[in-house]
Amino acid sequence: GVRDVLFLYEENRCSMTYMYEYPEYLKIKLPKKTARQYPTYELYLYGEGNYAKESKNLLLTGIPVLFLPGNAGSYKQVRSLGSIALRKAEDVDFKYHFNFFSVNFNEELVALYGGSLQRQTKFVHECIKVILKLYRDQEFAPSSVAIVGHSMGGLVARALLTLKNFKPELINLLITQATPHVAPVMPLDKYLTDFYTAVNNHWILKAQDLRNLTTLSVAGGFRDYQVRSGLAFLPRLSQHDSALSVVSSAVPRAWASTDHLSIVWCKELILATIRAFFDLIDENTRQITEDPKKRMSVLNHHFVRHPAKIFEENPEASTELTGAFMWITVKASKWTYSVYNDSDGKYFTFPLASHRKSYSHVYCENSMLDTRSWIYGCMNSNSLRCLEATDLSWRAELLPTTKVVILKLQDYPSLSHIVIQVPPTAGNKYTLDCEFFKEDSRTIQLPVTHLFSFGLSSSKILLNSTGLLYNVQLQHFNQIYQAFKIYIESCCQSLKERKPSVYRLHIPWSHEDSIIVANVPSFTEISAKLHIAQPQNDSRVPELNIYSSSDCQYEVILKTSLVQILGQIIRFHAGALPVYVVSNILLTYGGQLSKLISTGQCSDFSIELVRTAKPYKVEPLVSIVVFLQGFNWFREIWESLSLPEVDAAVLSSQDVWFPLVSLILFLFGTGIAYWSGVFFSTSLRLFSSLWLTLIRPTVLQKDKLITPRRLCEVLSLALLSWTTCGAFAVVIIYLQYLVKPVHVFKTFALYFQDSDHSKETSRNSSTQTVKNQSTMDSTSKATQSLFNSTTLAEAVNSLKMHVTILNLLTWIVLLNLPSLIYWLKNLRYNVRLDPDPCRSTAIILVCILKVLVNSGTSEVKSSKLLKIAAKVPLPLSVAMLAFGQLHLYKVPHFVTFSLLLHVLCCIV
């Protein structure tokens, strides 16, 4: 499954964008108060060549666009947009042009640490005010700024509307690229999840206030394994007419999936964005139009359905067909015409009266991919020419190799003829095809194979193609955990050259289509899986549209793909894996404490994991609570207890959860916990052996748990945590704790080494001198003295317990590592991390671990609290699975509570 997500995706079909002149970034001077308040942030203006030189005086006359980079993103990523916009402005002689600004967020890791998101949002607000002031004295001064946000930059842009003093009219267009709008990819701290909640709640509650803001979200598709496309779809709101979400694989003239970084420079996608920007300009104000309907029309034109026409806001309803063209009547139901060096223009007319009874639709395709009108509908015609015509070219749709029109005859009762225009051509070669057909004859239902067929069975259909279009409906394909391989084999009777076939997987409830162009004959493999599950109130069915070559046979075979199903589970739920791993370790920890009660011995980590970590101990309880939350009475009781909603219930409401997911993830977590435990123990043994060659171990002595020196160390680390970064203190105490098992391991190594030496010496005593014998005796006595304060069994038990605790601490360190990295990166600006998501947890952990590092199992075995401490890990594991999957920052809290009970067992 991991391999499917990280490696098994389509090849990169994006072209690189290049600068024709040297890119320059002009730093914009900010007000002193703003610069002092945000010392790590900066604002830049992008330029190239002469334009950059002319812009240095900041007498700007263009349309302002602000680019916001994402997690660890650079302000220089604006260059693809800025450069192509500059070339486009040169094409129109700078009648219109855009000024691209970019914010430098110091490449902060805001996807992993949410403490700076609010600060970034406020700085962007200040930047917008500074940008608009630059145009204050211009004739066509803008009153708003368009924003393009990559990754978390898009979320920061949406968060602007949550600021109390922000005026919504300051932005009228927002385009986000691979932005996780729904939820954070890794919810590692409370500030991140709270920020998401505030932004999404505001957009839902204040939906009416956002009607004048047009939002476009572009997702990267399956190549983007960092932010899955389902997260990039804007929450479904009542004002759906002002928000649009698309996947890059469905964007016309791009038709390519992008990874998380290439979405910023993918030439095909950037061209679509810049074309949209120029079509959004209002000729009167020379700024982006204030009309929300026009903005949505432009975005739909470039990002959803492109008719192979240059955008027109109000295309003429009717036109007169002029020109000295030859008029030819076509009465056949199927027609093909090849054009090559045709010096005379022609009009081909198709009378509809004779076809309306026999057929329901007409389909036409044109391989000439220009932007001229080519198909019309006649409303009043005689046998010679059309007096009045409707331009049906706006009903066309652009595909990679052709442009097509599908018309339902019932929707055009007033049309008497269809007219195809063939203008004079010089050197161009293209083909026109038309056919009338019944919808039922071209729609085939293909039931998808069952989830548990594991690819052993298949669904198959054979299309003996006499037509140009087939729609294969994929019945019962509506959930994200379904994944299939579709094989299409085409073979033709004759070997003549044919146009390529186009296969489109069309998902009707979201703009996530994927298109593949295949030569004929060929064998093509298509992956079929979803980014968004089918909404409950939607009954439409996904389709495989086959734009075929006539007189060819197509065989379609569909099989369940187990690898891709596992890939979908990883894609949608990999962020929750730490919860399942720690849950397994916590169950093992509880099992070791139970063994201490029953046998007085602590079992090995790997053995206890296999014995104790069973999914049936935790899974049923979570599933029962999720089931009961479907009832109002239980939900009311739950809310009255002020308990948070179970994460699995939230995921179920988002249609990304099913019962077996948790079981698979738990088993995967067991595997990770087992092998990480083996690796950890092996690493400790190797490290202690290396250390043994350098330093001889000191005597293991029984010491008090709490001493004045340790109290001073605790206070020092607590003070360090409070004044700098909590994660820094956690790492220090973790490294100190790591020394304990290493020390014990090397002591054991020396003990057994000397014991083996003693046995070997006794076997060969006849050949040893008295001097060697006395040396051996002194060594053995010295080694045995290492254990003068504890028995070997006691030391072994304590070691096993410390190894398990270290396993738990390793995951706490990993989950807190992002805030430490953020703090280290910004250390030159501020010594104290503020806000710090793990400061309080760090202080508690420091106190706990300073006691545990010097404890053994002898104190624990005699404790009255041991039975409680042994039973608590199980309910904590259940609670972790219930409330930690969407809130990873809660995991250290559960572990800390369990370790706190262990400390109390050492004392009480």
Side-chain angles (χ1 to χ4, degrees), residues 83-312:
S83 182
I84 289 181
L86 188 59
R87 302 282 84 79
K88 179 81 172 173
E90 288 175 350
D91 291 343
V92 296
D93 295 325
F94 280 92
K95 180 182 178 182
Y96 310 114
H97 71 279
F98 288 86
N99 304 125
F100 274 85
F101 297 85
S102 184
V103 173
N104 179 15
F105 284 135
N106 194 31
E107 300 184 10
E108 290 181 336
L109 299 171
V110 286
L112 304 176
Y113 169 72
S116 62
L117 283 168
Q118 195 67 24
R119 187 161 58 246
Q120 285 190 3
T121 306
K122 292 177 179 178
F123 178 73
V124 172
H125 185 200
E126 297 301 320
C127 287
I128 291 173
K129 291 189 282 188
V130 169
I131 289 169
L132 292 177
K133 281 182 181 178
L134 296 175
Y135 298 86
R136 192 166 41 192
D137 300 325
Q138 301 301 324
E139 181 182 358
F140 297 100
S143 59
S144 61
V145 174
I147 295 181
V148 178
H150 172 240
S151 189
M152 294 298 287
L155 187 72
V156 168
R158 287 180 62 213
L160 285 168
L161 297 155
T162 65
L163 299 177
K164 290 181 180 179
N165 56 346
F166 183 79
K167 299 176 182 177
E169 57 270 19
L170 290 180
I171 51 174
N172 58 11
L173 177 66
L174 169 60
I175 297 177
T176 66
Q177 301 170 324
T179 296
H181 291 293
V182 177
V185 177
M186 294 290 285
L188 291 171
D189 67 61
K190 191 175 188 295
Y191 306 111
L192 191 59
T193 55
D194 286 352
F195 189 82
Y196 264 91
T197 302
V199 172
N200 286 329
N201 285 348
H202 182 88
W203 276 59
I204 292 170
L205 297 173
K206 303 287 184 179
Q208 295 300 319
D209 299 340
L210 306 176
R211 285 178 298 179
N212 290 324
L213 171 62
T214 303
T215 310
L216 168 69
S217 175
V218 183
F222 290 110
R223 276 188 65 86
D224 188 351
Y225 54 80
Q226 294 183 47
V227 176
R228 63 176 177 84
S229 296
L231 291 178
F233 277 65
L234 290 159
R236 290 187 175 90
L237 307 174
S238 56
Q239 90 296 358
H240 59 275
D241 55 336
S242 65
L244 179 64
S245 300
V246 298
V247 179
S248 61
S249 60
V251 175
R253 304 174 81 171
W255 296 300
S257 178
T258 63
D259 60 56
H260 197 62
L261 290 179
S262 69
I263 199 169
V264 174
W265 54 256
C266 179
K267 184 178 179 181
E268 290 77 8
L269 206 54
I270 299 299
L271 282 170
T273 306
I274 297 303
R275 290 185 190 116
F277 268 128
F278 275 86
D279 283 341
L280 285 165
I281 297 173
D282 186 327
E283 292 185 1
N284 297 321
T285 63
R286 298 202 175 185
Q287 296 294 325
I288 289 177
T289 179
E290 296 294 328
D291 183 1
K293 289 185 178 179
K294 180 182 177 180
R295 292 199 296 262
M296 282 305 297
S297 296
V298 170
L299 295 180
N300 275 291
H301 179 94
H302 288 284
F303 288 91
V304 178
R305 185 186 177 95
H306 198 298
K309 294 270 291 177
I310 295 172
F311 176 79
E312 293 179 27

Side-chain angles (χ1 to χ4, degrees), residues 510-583:
S510 61
H511 302 297
E512 55 175 284
D513 294 6
S514 57
I515 293 179
I516 291 178
V517 179
N519 293 322
V520 180
S522 66
F523 183 82
T524 307
E525 181 183 299
I526 300 173
S527 294
K529 48 196 174 188
L530 299 174
H531 296 293
I532 297 284
Q534 184 180 34
Q536 291 182 355
N537 56 351
D538 198 318
S539 59
R540 291 174 292 177
V541 180
E543 289 183 341
L544 175 64
N545 305 136
I546 300 177
Y547 299 91
S548 58
S549 293
S550 57
D551 304 322
C552 290
Q553 181 176 283
Y554 291 81
E555 184 179 33
V556 181
I557 303 172
L558 182 144
K559 292 183 177 181
T560 297
S561 174
L562 177 62
V563 170
Q564 291 192 74
I565 290 172
L566 295 174
Q568 286 290 83
I569 291 172
I570 295 298
R571 180 174 286 108
F572 280 80
H573 302 289
L577 268 176
V579 176
Y580 287 90
V581 177
V582 177
S583 177

Side-chain angles (χ1 to χ4, degrees), residues 424-443:
T425 56
N428 291 323
K429 184 179 181 180
Y430 62 98
T431 306
L432 292 154
D433 294 278
C434 280
E435 67 168 344
F436 291 86
F437 66 90
K438 272 189 174 181
E439 185 178 23
D440 295 343
S441 66
R442 300 300 172 81
T443 303

Side-chain angles (χ1 to χ4, degrees), residues 11 101 118 121 131 184 243 254 345 423 430 545 610 612 681 703 721 761:
E11 62 180 8
F101 297 85
Q118 195 67 24
T121 306
I131 289 169
Y430 62 98
N545 305 136
V610 173
T612 313
S681 297
D703 199 0
S721 174
T761 304

Side-chain angles (χ1 to χ4, degrees), residues 331-352:
K331 294 183 179 180
S333 61
K334 188 175 181 182
W335 168 82
T336 299
Y337 184 74
S338 296
V339 183
Y340 182 64
N341 278 338
D342 199 339
S343 58
D344 299 321
K346 296 181 179 66
Y347 286 120
F348 292 92
T349 65
F350 299 80
L352 297 181

Side-chain angles (χ1 to χ4, degrees), residues 442 542 718 780 820:
R442 300 300 172 81
S780 298
L820 175 64

Side-chain angles (χ1 to χ4, degrees), residues 457-469:
S457 61
S458 63
S459 292
K460 186 187 299 185
I461 55 168
L462 190 65
L463 305 175
N464 291 310
S465 176
T466 56
L468 301 171
L469 171 69

Side-chain angles (χ1 to χ4, degrees), residues 652-898:
S652 295
S653 67
Q654 297 173 358
D655 296 320
V656 295
W657 188 259
F658 68 107
L660 283 177
V661 164
S662 193
L663 175 62
I664 292 169
L665 291 174
F666 189 93
L667 296 175
F668 194 13
T670 306
I672 293 173
Y674 181 88
W675 289 110
S676 62
V678 170
F679 174 77
F680 197 67
S681 297
T682 306
S683 301
L684 285 174
R685 291 175 188 272
L686 288 173
F687 188 65
S688 57
S689 299
L690 289 172
W691 197 347
L692 182 61
T693 61
L694 301 174
I695 304 171
R696 191 171 184 82
T698 56
V699 178
L700 288 173
Q701 293 182 341
K702 190 78 173 176
D703 199 0
K704 291 182 179 179
L705 292 176
I706 302 172
T707 63
R709 181 183 172 183
R710 285 177 194 143
L711 280 175
C712 290
E713 289 177 356
V714 167
L715 290 173
S716 300
L717 286 172
L719 185 64
L720 183 72
S721 174
W722 187 261
T723 56
T724 57
C725 172
F728 184 46
V730 170
V731 169
I732 291 173
I733 192 67
Y734 173 76
L735 293 174
Q736 288 181 354
Y737 202 104
L738 198 61
V739 173
K740 175 74 173 183
V742 170
H743 180 55
V744 177
F745 263 128
K746 63 189 172 83
T747 304
F748 286 162
L750 182 64
Y751 175 80
F752 290 115
Q753 175 186 320
D754 289 341
S755 297
D756 292 341
H757 185 182
S758 175
K759 292 174 184 176
E760 183 69 25
T761 304
S762 65
R763 283 197 299 268
N764 301 312
S765 58
S766 59
T767 60
Q768 298 297 320
T769 64
V770 175
K771 182 179 178 181
N772 285 344
Q773 182 66 42
S774 62
T775 303
M776 181 273 295
D777 291 339
S778 62
T779 304
S780 298
K781 288 176 182 177
T783 305
Q784 290 167 9
S785 70
L786 292 171
F787 295 91
N788 57 6
S789 63
T790 183
T791 63
L792 180 61
E794 170 68 20
V796 170
N797 287 334
S798 299
L799 177 63
K800 290 175 180 177
M801 187 60 70
H802 285 306
V803 168
T804 303
I805 292 171
L806 266 173
N807 270 301
L808 288 169
L809 291 178
T810 301
W811 283 96
I812 291 180
V813 170
L814 289 174
L815 291 172
N816 288 322
L817 210 54
S819 61
L820 175 64
I821 296 169
Y822 181 92
W823 173 72
L824 289 171
K825 195 173 181 181
N826 291 273
L827 193 56
R828 56 178 174 158
Y829 302 107
N830 204 334
V831 175
R832 189 173 194 259
L833 180 63
D834 189 34
D836 189 344
C838 61
R839 181 171 289 133
S840 56
T841 307
I843 293 172
I844 297 170
L845 270 175
V846 164
C847 300
I848 290 172
L849 297 180
K850 266 298 174 185
V851 175
L852 286 182
V853 74
N854 296 287
S855 68
T857 52
S858 58
E859 301 97 333
V860 178
K861 280 191 284 188
S862 59
S863 174
K864 298 176 182 178
L865 296 175
L866 181 57
K867 287 186 178 180
I868 297 173
K871 290 179 180 177
V872 161
L874 176 59
L876 285 180
S877 295
V878 175
M880 198 183 298
L881 294 190
F883 305 115
Q885 296 185 56
L886 297 178
H887 307 84
L888 288 179
Y889 61 88
K890 292 181 179 179
V891 171
H893 302 164
F894 294 114
V895 175
T896 303
F897 183 76
S898 191

